[in-house]
Amino acid sequence: MRYYNWKTELLRIGLLLTAVAAVCAIFDLGLWPLFIAALLVCAWLLRNLQHLSDWLYSGVDKAPPEASGMWGQVFDVIYDMQRETTQNNAKLQAMIDYLHSSFASMSDAVVMLDPVGNIEWCNASAHDLLGLRQSDDTGRQLINLIRSPAFLRYFEAERYQSPLEMTSPVNGSLSLSVSVNFFGQRNRLLFARDVTRTHRLEKMRKDFVANVSHELRTPLTVINGYLETFSEHGGENPRWDRAVSQMLQQSRRMHMLIQDLMLLSRLEAIPKAGDDTVLSLRSLMEMIREECGSAAKGPRRIVIECDDTISIRGNANELRSAFSNLAINAARYTAENDTITLRWYRDDDHAYFEVEDTGIGIEPQYIPRLTERFYRVDQSRSLDTGGTGLGLAIVKHVLIRHRAELRIRSVPEKGSVFTCVFPRSAAVQIKTA
């Protein structure tokens, strides 16, 4: 198709008017024929403009009016654009219908929201879990329909990195995991999943561990007592003495495991540390140094770097357990004459308790799983080290209760650094005279 621009159209009109002006000059007709010709050109332009207006008003899905030159080009381009737009809209609508049908069949609640938080669409499960009806609630503000304070804080804060655990607003026996994601021009997509069964199973697991640990503690204490008595009064039969010694060792290991399981159960049952005391780190680190010496097989060089101008606020027993676990782990996974550094300091934003060692290190792929219960990088070392596999899990829960986190850096064959990162509010400045 030939392309017409304004210069081409101007040339056509100019040639027409020039021809009329030449005829008027040759035959001495005056300016009236030229004036009439100019009026006819204007009428032609207005006629094409009227055709364009009528066509646009009636719908451009119809065939465009017949026209020549630049006007015909305008009609054809608009028509082609409209056809392309119609095809794209049809594809988009088909995709939207497909997504709607997919979301409608989901057991999870799905709610589409516009940039200001109005409901655009929701599936049937949204009624069962959130109490929303598409026919009644479309166009209404979501926060006017779900009034849970926890949900309002989560939704309005717009920090959706992790899901929100909440009770269903229409069924108090249901536990929901709610997640929100942005898409498009700050539109939001909300998913709500029923996690009641998962919560019940988790509660059953916690109750089982707590009850079994509690019930095993008394008989194991009795067994351990008799084994210690047999160990103290042995000596007649070396084979029997060796058997009693091994049983006593495993009994003590089982006792440590039960103690750690009970501690974990208590940490999980109470979400926030109850005690809030100011703890001096220097004396605590000295005590931990002695514990490391007794836990390690062979001498270790243990260095303390402590900022004595600051203490820490929190639960003394829990913090002592967490810091001790980190240091004893370092002692167990280092060789003789390796160095372990206990470090306490702060910066403008946080306070840090750090355990650094020059031991065997950890491969990067194992680091994310270190705080899992009973997880060990090297299962063959479990009996040698004598640990329960729960130390870092205890550390993790203690830090969560103190609004802190555990960071791990490690280089194989060079050593590891375990850092407890506390909020600045946990550090207490010691007043000096």
Side-chain angles (χ1 to χ4, degrees):
M1 183 179 67
R2 181 181 176 185
Y3 178 73
Y4 294 90
N5 58 25
W6 67 273
K7 296 179 181 179
T8 305
E9 201 68 20
L10 181 61
L11 180 62
R12 291 176 61 192
I13 296 174
L15 289 175
L16 174 62
L17 295 178
T18 301
V20 172
V23 171
C24 291
I26 293 172
F27 296 100
D28 195 18
L29 300 177
L31 295 177
W32 281 105
L34 182 60
F35 178 71
I36 294 172
L39 287 178
L40 292 175
V41 169
C42 292
W44 176 75
L45 292 174
L46 289 175
R47 178 175 174 274
N48 285 326
L49 186 61
Q50 182 64 49
H51 286 167
L52 176 60
S53 176
D54 294 342
W55 182 50
L56 293 175
Y57 185 78
S58 62
V60 291
D61 53 333
K62 299 180 180 179
E66 293 293 334
S68 61
M70 194 171 182
W71 282 103
Q73 177 178 282
V74 170
F75 290 148
D76 292 339
V77 169
I78 293 176
Y79 183 63
D80 291 341
M81 290 176 63
Q82 174 60 19
R83 290 182 58 188
E84 184 178 356
T85 301
T86 302
Q87 293 174 357
N88 290 336
N89 288 342
K91 292 179 181 178
L92 289 175
Q93 187 60 48
M95 185 177 298
I96 292 173
D97 293 340
Y98 175 76
L99 290 175
H100 282 178
S101 62
S102 300
F103 289 149
S105 63
M106 293 177 63
S107 58
D108 298 343
V110 182
V111 184
M112 292 183 177
L113 305 167
D114 65 15
V116 295
N118 296 322
I119 298 174
E120 292 186 333
W121 182 87
C122 61
N123 64 354
S125 297
H127 172 64
D128 301 328
L129 300 181
L130 299 173
L132 304 178
R133 293 179 181 272
Q134 182 183 354
S135 57
D136 299 333
D137 298 330
T138 300
R140 300 179 65 183
Q141 279 274 329
L142 179 66
I143 58 176
N144 291 336
L145 302 174
I146 303 178
R147 302 296 301 169
S148 166
F151 176 78
L152 293 177
R153 289 193 298 269
Y154 175 77
F155 187 80
E156 294 176 347
E158 297 187 357
R159 292 190 293 269
Y160 305 137
Q161 291 82 2
S162 57
L164 168 70
E165 303 288 335
M166 60 175 286
T167 303
S168 169
V170 293
N171 188 342
S173 63
L174 297 181
S175 297
L176 304 181
S177 176
V178 178
S179 59
V180 181
N181 297 284
F182 283 108
F183 73 97
Q185 301 297 320
R186 289 190 62 80
N187 293 63
R188 279 175 276 196
L189 187 63
L190 180 147
F191 290 92
R193 173 170 295 180
D194 183 0
V195 293
T196 306
R197 184 172 181 272
T198 303
H199 279 202
R200 288 174 180 169
L201 290 174
E202 182 65 14
K203 185 177 185 303
M204 290 173 60
R205 179 192 66 80
K206 292 178 180 178
D207 292 343
F208 174 79
V209 171
N211 293 333
V212 169
S213 301
H214 180 76
E215 294 299 326
L216 286 177
R217 184 174 60 173
T218 300
L220 190 61
T221 301
V222 175
I223 293 172
N224 194 52
Y226 279 114
L227 288 174
E228 288 179 349
T229 302
F230 291 152
S231 178
E232 292 173 358
H233 295 83
E236 297 179 359
N237 188 331
R239 295 181 61 185
W240 175 253
D241 292 343
R242 185 167 59 253
V244 170
S245 176
Q246 290 177 353
M247 287 189 291
L248 182 59
Q249 179 184 1
Q250 295 304 316
S251 174
R252 288 171 176 169
R253 185 167 178 266
M254 183 64 71
H255 182 74
M256 291 171 54
L257 176 61
I258 290 175
Q259 291 295 105
D260 284 350
L261 282 173
M262 293 182 67
L263 175 57
L264 263 180
S265 298
R266 184 174 62 82
L267 293 175
E268 290 178 335
I270 306 174
K272 185 179 179 182
D275 192 12
D276 193 22
T277 60
V278 177
L279 189 62
S280 171
L281 268 295
R282 171 70 68 173
S283 57
L284 176 59
M285 293 164 80
E286 293 288 352
M287 182 190 70
I288 292 175
R289 174 156 59 182
E290 294 179 5
E291 292 179 355
C292 288
S294 60
K297 295 180 179 180
R300 303 288 191 275
R301 181 173 178 264
I302 302 177
V303 179
I304 293 179
E305 299 177 5
C306 179
D307 185 349
D308 292 317
T309 63
I310 51 174
S311 296
I312 189 170
R313 186 188 303 276
N315 185 292
N317 292 329
E318 293 180 8
L319 292 174
R320 187 181 299 114
S321 174
F323 297 162
S324 178
N325 269 306
L326 290 178
I328 291 175
N329 263 358
R332 286 172 176 161
Y333 289 95
T334 50
E336 291 188 14
N337 301 317
D338 277 345
T339 300
I340 299 173
T341 303
L342 309 180
R343 192 176 292 116
W344 168 249
Y345 63 100
R346 73 173 180 183
D347 58 19
D348 294 337
D349 301 315
H350 301 92
Y352 306 87
F353 180 86
E354 202 165 78
V355 178
E356 182 178 359
D357 65 67
T358 58
I360 59 175
I362 307 166
E363 296 288 343
Q365 66 269 25
Y366 300 127
I367 291 178
R369 298 192 59 189
L370 288 181
T371 56
E372 295 180 10
R373 300 175 184 222
F374 303 109
Y375 180 76
R376 296 180 186 273
V377 174
D378 187 357
Q379 294 290 342
S380 64
R381 293 176 57 92
S382 59
L383 293 178
D384 296 334
T385 59
T388 62
L390 296 172
L392 291 181
I394 291 174
V395 173
K396 173 186 174 182
H397 282 82
V398 169
L399 294 182
I400 289 175
R401 286 160 57 85
H402 287 80
R403 296 181 294 115
E405 62 174 322
L406 178 64
R407 297 177 185 173
I408 304 173
R409 306 191 311 272
S410 185
V411 179
E413 308 303 329
K414 291 187 177 181
S416 306
V417 181
F418 290 78
T419 306
C420 303
V421 183
F422 293 89
R424 183 177 174 83
S425 57
V428 179
Q429 184 74 37
I430 298 177
K431 295 181 180 180
T432 57

